């Protein structure tokens, strides 16, 4: 089809699909590990899924068979659920969801169900907020490293520009006043009007929670510069170690003068994709104290409503306080155990990671395994890990990290046995690599050169793009 018959949106490449983050998933799909059917396949460690607590959800469903059968008090409510629902959402579900969000925050904050908009996941929530807060060509500042999906969510359809707030390992990737000011000046240099800052707390990919200090810094900054703050708190229920989770809403509640200034410019994004492990259900939300934003976002949510049967099922589940309390605690315990397993497996391979207390992944330091301190070397190492070690992990460059050699490694989307195998493979690889002085080895992991010819074109495109980026 001739290109000019299609829209610019359909043919532009700002979707970000050619990032190594998504391309690693494609490689995994071609050769997925299976204990029995494909024991030499690629183990997926690039997907932030929480599969650790399905048994709790399934046992709740078994104890409450009426809910999944669309019955209330033994009577069918099928027609009620099947008929048209408007975009306001079921009141019972909105109430159950805000109460669940409060519970995750230790009930230190409460949320008003009238200030919540339901969306098809956090993806839709973030995009909808962009449509509400910015014109195409305006900018948001995002601390690096950041979740690669934001390139798609902010840039593709809303046309918003992302200006990175450069965070580094020197202070464990924390946001500083200097980094904020530098990003703002960079936007000014590029003639971009900055409409806000978007953070993820807890962070994807770092697996860390924000300190009160950072949150106060952010609030002062948006207050001073007259802009918005979006806090994507999709991982808020995964915090398994101290320090505990502090929501930006808690900081606002504690400081009345700040609250007056920025109350209607702070917006929280949430979703059940991570805390309940239900990305397939597509349940997300925007919480805001800004009536105009809520009103506009609610109208826009027509494009991605949450189905009424999903809302019905989850309103029953989340209203069961005994269940939610137990689920939150047990899920966090399991995540903690997994994180420990990953850390100890990495340690055995001589690899360390950023100290973390949340999330479904660790931010792993493989700088010592690079042949040079470049993104090209990071890509070379990543290709070996995907094709030879057969682990799909996400290179830091796909998260816009400014230092080569960091990787995000997920731990909650597989069994303990698979995680153990992954660590065994990694250890064998590192032993061999270091025995060869970090050079191309000739034995088990040496298939890289022979495979090179059959590699997809994007691998080479990525390498040459990195080269271009390094040139002054
Ligand atoms: C920080 C962050 N925001 C949003 C999303 C998208 O979540 P959802 O499945 O709810 O659309 C993800 C998923 O990985 C994420 O990590």
């Amino acid at each position: 089809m001739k290109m000019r018959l299609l829209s610019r949106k359909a043919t532009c490449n700002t979707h970000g699909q050619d990032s190594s983050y998504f391309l690693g998933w494609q490689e995994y799909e071609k050769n997925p590990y299976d204990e029995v059917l494909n024991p030499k396949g690629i183990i997926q460690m690039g997907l932030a899924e929480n599969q650790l607590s399905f048994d709790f959800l399934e046992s709740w469903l078994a104890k409450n068979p009426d809910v999944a059968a669309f019955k209330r008090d033994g009577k069918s409510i099928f027609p009620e659920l099947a008929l048209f629902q408007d975009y306001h959402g079921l009141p019972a579900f909105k109430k159950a969801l805000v109460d669940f969000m409060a519970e995750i925050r230790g009930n230190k904050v409460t949320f008003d169900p009238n200030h919540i908009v339901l969306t098809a996941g956090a993806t839709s929530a973030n995009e909808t907020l962009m449509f509400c807060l910015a014109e195409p060509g305006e900018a948001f500042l995002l601390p690096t490293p950041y979740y690669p999906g934001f390139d798609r969510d902010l840039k593709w359809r809303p046309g918003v520009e992302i200006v990175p707030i450069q965070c580094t390992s020197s202070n464990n990737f924390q946001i500083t006043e200097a980094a904020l000011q530098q990003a703002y000046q960079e936007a000014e240099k590029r003639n971009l009007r900055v409409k806000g800052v978007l953070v993820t707390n807890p962070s994807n990919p770092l697996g860390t929670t924000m300190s009160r200090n950072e949150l106060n810094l952010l609030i002062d900054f948006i207050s001073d510069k007259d802009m918005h703050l979006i806090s994507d708190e999709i991982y808020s229920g995964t915090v398994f170690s101290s320090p505990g989770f502090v929501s930006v809403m808690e900081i606002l509640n504690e400081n009345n003068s700040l609250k007056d200034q920025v109350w209607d410019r702070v917006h929280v994004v949430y979703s059940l994709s991570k805390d309940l492990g239900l990305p397939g259900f597509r349940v997300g939300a925007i919480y805001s104290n800004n009536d105009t934003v809520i009103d506009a976002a609610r109208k826009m949510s027509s494009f991605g409503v949450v189905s009424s049967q999903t809302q019905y099922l989850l309103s029953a589940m989340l209203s069961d306080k005994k269940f939610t309390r137990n689920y939150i605690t047990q899920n966090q315990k399991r995540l903690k155990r997994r994180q420990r397993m990953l850390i100890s497996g990495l340690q055995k391979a001589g690899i360390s990671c950023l100290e973390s207390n949340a999330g479904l992944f660790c931010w792993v330091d493989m700088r010592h395994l690079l042949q040079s301190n470049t993104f090209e070397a990071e890509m070379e190492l990543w290709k070996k890990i995907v094709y030879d070690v057969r682990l799909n992990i996400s290179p830091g460059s796909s998260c816009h990290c400014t230092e080569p050699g960091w990787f995000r490694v997920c731990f909650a989307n597989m069994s303990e046995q698979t995680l153990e195998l992954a660590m065994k493979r990694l250890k064998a690889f590192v032993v061999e690599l270091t025995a060869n002085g970090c050079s191309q080895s000739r034995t088990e992991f040496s298939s890289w050169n022979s495979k090179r010819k059959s590699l997809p074109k994007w691998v080479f495109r990525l390498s040459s793009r990195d080269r271009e980026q390094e040139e002054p």
Side-chain angles (χ1 to χ4, degrees):
M1 192 182 297
K2 280 182 197 151
M3 284 299 233
R4 64 195 149 80
L5 282 177
L6 299 174
S7 73
R8 270 197 300 265
K9 282 270 177 273
T11 51
C12 73
N13 62 2
T14 50
H15 181 276
Q17 194 77 37
D18 65 348
S19 143
S20 46
Y21 176 74
F22 293 113
L23 294 166
W25 294 2
Q26 285 174 21
E27 289 311 298
Y28 161 77
E29 292 297 341
K30 288 181 203 161
N31 181 21
Y33 168 79
D34 181 276
E35 195 183 335
V36 180
L37 301 174
N38 190 17
K40 293 200 164 172
I42 297 177
I43 297 175
Q44 174 61 293
M45 305 186 93
L47 189 57
E49 262 180 4
N50 180 6
Q51 297 182 14
L52 301 191
S53 298
F54 280 155
D55 55 328
F56 292 118
L57 304 180
E58 283 174 332
S59 93
W60 187 90
L61 286 172
K63 282 189 208 138
N64 297 272
D66 265 15
V67 178
F70 308 135
K71 287 183 184 166
R72 189 187 292 132
D73 303 327
K75 284 198 190 125
S76 171
I77 55 158
F78 182 81
E80 196 184 305
L81 294 176
L83 291 173
F84 178 73
Q85 301 280 341
D86 74 8
Y87 47 66
H88 285 83
L90 298 185
F93 178 55
K94 289 196 291 184
K95 173 81 175 79
L97 185 62
V98 291
D99 287 351
F100 185 64
M101 288 167 68
E103 192 175 352
I104 284 169
R105 287 153 187 80
N107 290 310
K108 287 181 200 146
V109 275
T110 51
F111 296 95
D112 176 351
N114 294 318
H115 287 260
I116 200 158
V117 174
L118 301 178
T119 57
T123 302
S124 172
N126 282 313
E127 190 194 52
T128 301
L129 274 175
M130 288 303 124
F131 282 127
C132 292
L133 307 180
E135 301 296 341
E138 293 182 333
F140 262 75
L141 310 181
L142 269 68
T144 61
Y146 65 78
Y147 161 57
F150 285 145
D151 289 321
R152 169 199 62 204
D153 305 345
L154 276 61
K155 287 157 86 169
W156 187 34
R157 301 197 298 184
V160 167
E161 297 288 332
I162 294 178
V163 178
I165 302 166
Q166 310 286 12
C167 301
T168 65
S169 60
S170 63
N171 68 345
N172 295 332
F173 298 94
Q174 292 209 355
I175 299 171
T176 62
E177 162 91 50
L180 280 171
Q181 295 296 351
Q182 205 185 343
Y184 189 77
Q185 281 157 19
E186 172 63 26
E188 278 186 327
K189 245 196 262 163
R190 288 169 56 189
N191 265 332
L192 296 172
R193 177 163 179 218
V194 182
K195 296 304 281 289
V197 182
L198 188 161
V199 297
T200 61
N201 181 27
S203 161
N204 176 7
L206 300 176
T208 54
T209 46
M210 277 191 172
S211 63
R212 284 174 178 275
N213 192 22
E214 280 174 289
L215 290 166
N216 278 310
L217 193 66
L218 283 167
I219 291 174
D220 287 345
F221 182 74
I222 63 140
S223 168
D224 183 43
K225 299 273 196 257
D226 218 7
M227 55 171 75
H228 295 271
L229 174 62
I230 300 174
S231 178
D232 181 335
E233 300 186 354
I234 187 170
Y235 294 97
S236 49
T238 68
V239 185
F240 47 77
S241 294
S242 62
F245 174 63
V246 183
S247 168
V248 68
M249 287 298 177
E250 199 179 321
I251 300 281
L252 281 190
N253 275 345
E254 285 168 3
N255 187 329
N256 277 335
S257 66
L258 268 182
K259 195 169 163 178
D260 289 345
Q261 290 165 46
V262 297
W263 186 235
D264 59 355
R265 285 192 270 129
V266 176
H267 319 279
V268 168
V269 164
Y270 187 55
S271 153
L272 297 178
S273 295
K274 311 297 175 180
D275 292 352
L276 278 196
L278 299 175
F281 278 36
R282 308 310 302 140
V283 183
I286 296 168
Y287 190 86
S288 172
N289 291 305
N290 187 316
D291 290 334
T292 314
V293 169
I294 285 298
D295 202 39
R298 191 165 281 144
K299 288 179 200 144
M300 288 182 199
S301 73
S302 292
F303 297 101
V305 281
V306 183
S307 74
S308 41
Q309 72 266 36
T310 298
Q311 291 189 49
Y312 175 65
L313 189 149
L314 291 174
S315 66
M317 188 183 271
L318 295 184
S319 307
D320 183 342
K321 294 280 174 266
K322 200 169 150 211
F323 166 76
T324 53
R325 217 169 297 137
N326 183 51
Y327 176 90
I328 293 169
T329 325
Q330 296 305 326
N331 180 49
Q332 288 166 351
K333 270 192 193 154
R334 289 179 180 186
L335 289 171
K336 184 174 180 164
R337 180 180 152 90
R338 272 313 174 81
Q339 185 239 26
R340 294 260 160 94
M341 267 187 75
L342 176 66
I343 293 175
S344 112
L346 290 169
Q347 265 168 359
K348 286 182 193 140
I351 298 172
S352 62
C353 47
L354 185 75
E355 200 178 324
S356 64
N357 60 338
L360 312 173
F361 30 73
C362 285
W363 186 238
V364 176
D365 184 358
M366 299 202 199
R367 286 176 293 180
H368 59 295
L369 299 178
L370 297 184
Q371 292 204 349
S372 63
N373 185 27
T374 62
F375 285 110
E376 195 171 27
E378 177 180 287
M379 202 47 66
E380 283 297 317
L381 178 63
W382 178 69
K383 285 181 286 191
K384 281 186 202 164
I385 294 175
V386 172
Y387 290 102
D388 298 345
V389 193
R390 285 160 279 116
L391 306 178
N392 178 40
I393 60 177
S394 309
S397 53
S398 69
C399 304
H400 303 268
C401 185
T402 52
E403 295 172 21
W406 292 89
F407 291 82
R408 190 193 72 169
V409 181
C410 297
F411 54 70
N413 62 323
M414 67 199 76
S415 68
E416 291 196 354
Q417 290 82 341
T418 308
L419 182 56
E420 268 164 19
L421 173 66
M423 292 302 100
K424 243 194 230 160
R425 285 188 189 174
L426 192 63
K427 186 178 171 194
F429 168 68
V430 174
V431 166
E432 202 171 294
L433 194 71
T434 38
N436 287 283
C438 278
S439 61
Q440 297 271 343
S441 58
R442 295 269 131 225
T443 51
E444 196 198 341
F445 296 109
S446 65
S447 50
W448 167 239
N449 277 333
S450 58
K451 274 196 187 143
R452 222 181 152 98
K453 281 195 198 85
S454 63
L455 285 173
K457 280 197 198 88
W458 61 261
V459 170
F460 302 107
R461 236 187 14 245
L462 284 171
S463 291
S464 55
R465 197 166 64 192
D466 291 336
R467 245 195 323 273
E468 277 158 28
Q469 278 169 3
E470 275 161 36
E471 279 162 15

